Amino acid sequence: MKSRVSCVDEDDCDSCRLAYCWWRTAAEFDKCVKVKLGFPNVSILTPRLRLLRELERLALVAPDGLNELQHKLLEYRSGDFWVPTGGIAKEDMDIPPVNTILLVGFSGSGKSSLINLMYSILGRSGLIPFAQTSSGRSNYTTMYMEEHNVLRSTRSGFCIYDSRGFDYHGTREALEEMSSWMSEGIHHNQPCFRYNDRATTADDAAMENVTLRSSSNFLQREVNCVMVVANIAQIYKALKAGDLKPLEATRQLFSFPALRKSKENPLLILTHGDLLSTEERIDGRMKICEHLEISETNGVYDILCLNEYGFPVEESDPVSAYALTEAVYRALLISDRSHFPKMKFKDWAMLILLWLTRFIGFCFAFLADVCSNLGKKQKLRNEFDSRHYKLKP
């Protein structure tokens, strides 16, 4: 059931009655309207009212705030949002030329559709699909990492990486793969092979083609911020059926320590909410946030990627357009807080000394173990010889 409502009175059609304000048909929305008239203590509001207030905030700032945020992102250069701390100058910070935002999630969560929406909103690309999605191809999946310059600018200070969707029953494998991405970095066309790929792929030439597309010439990028994309409709419907696996797998993915940057949780992007009713959409978001132990209003965005005709929703749903732009803006704020000072000669000398000390310690430990084993063997041999001597007539 679609959660959108249509505007029936065009003369009285303002921002409060547009179709994209789906939450305004919620049961407690009247209470939210009353709360807006005063200045209540936010701490005493129920989670549901806080969520409705957050959605109202997005609707309020979307018409005028979208262009402002778009301009900030177009002018953004890596490190622009860095704030001086610790008495260190910006030129002494190790700031990459391009900040990298990585999208992760399970299969069918809508990561590639989210990429296309970014191109439409930030790159003004219209309906050109830059990222291939599974629409019309149920067996399609991204086989390699894809770097996207969603601003379509040679001076862009950030890029978005699309990754292959994980399987709900392979969470351990997913965490291991993400750990390598966060520690070693990622590059364009990096293969994302899984254990059963060879068994399920009938055409070996397709696998070889993916391998050939990977090249060491692509720049290795450090991941600066992570967005976890989750299919709220899929998770909520599984919950209603008594299946906790999608929700629990999402929790393990979201709570993975390697994804945290500058003590910040990853951003959570909820998609496919239009497949639920208004009450289900609100209830699903609250249940997911409660299970993930995060605020239902901070760092969480409900974004509709495509409308009922399969087109990006920039014009038909400015709230989703603004929410996505704000999510990217927030990711860049997190990225610029996660940079570390450059390594100086003294730091490298201390690091080399530390590793040298550890190596010497390892050598002494190895020699001590060898000598101990030799001593035990010699002691046993002496005991055997003494017993053998006493047994002689």
Side-chain angles (χ1 to χ4, degrees), residues 248-292:
E248 178 59 25
T250 302
R251 186 194 66 80
Q252 294 181 28
L253 190 70
F254 183 86
S255 304
F256 190 46
L259 302 188
R260 293 175 61 89
K261 288 289 184 176
S262 64
K263 300 181 181 180
E264 291 273 359
N265 286 324
L267 297 180
L268 179 63
I269 309 297
L270 301 176
T271 59
H272 297 88
D274 58 315
L275 301 178
L276 301 173
S277 68
T278 298
E279 295 301 326
E280 289 175 336
R281 195 167 177 176
I282 293 176
D283 187 47
R285 175 167 173 171
M286 293 177 62
K287 287 185 183 303
I288 292 174
C289 293
E290 180 181 4
H291 195 72
L292 268 54

Side-chain angles (χ1 to χ4, degrees), residues 106-123:
F106 295 94
S107 298
S109 59
K111 298 183 300 298
S112 298
S113 296
L114 203 65
I115 292 285
N116 287 332
L117 182 60
M118 290 181 186
Y119 274 112
S120 178
I121 296 173
L122 304 177

Side-chain angles (χ1 to χ4, degrees), residues 139 141-144 164 173 189-214:
N139 61 338
T141 182
T142 303
M143 297 295 294
Y144 44 87
R164 184 177 180 183
E173 183 182 6
N189 279 349
Q190 177 177 330
C192 300
F193 291 145
R194 304 288 160 77
Y195 177 76
N196 58 347
D197 282 342
R198 180 65 65 178
T200 57
T201 304
D203 187 6
D204 291 345
M207 297 293 293
E208 294 177 0
N209 182 43
V210 172
T211 305
L212 291 174
R213 293 188 65 169
S214 176

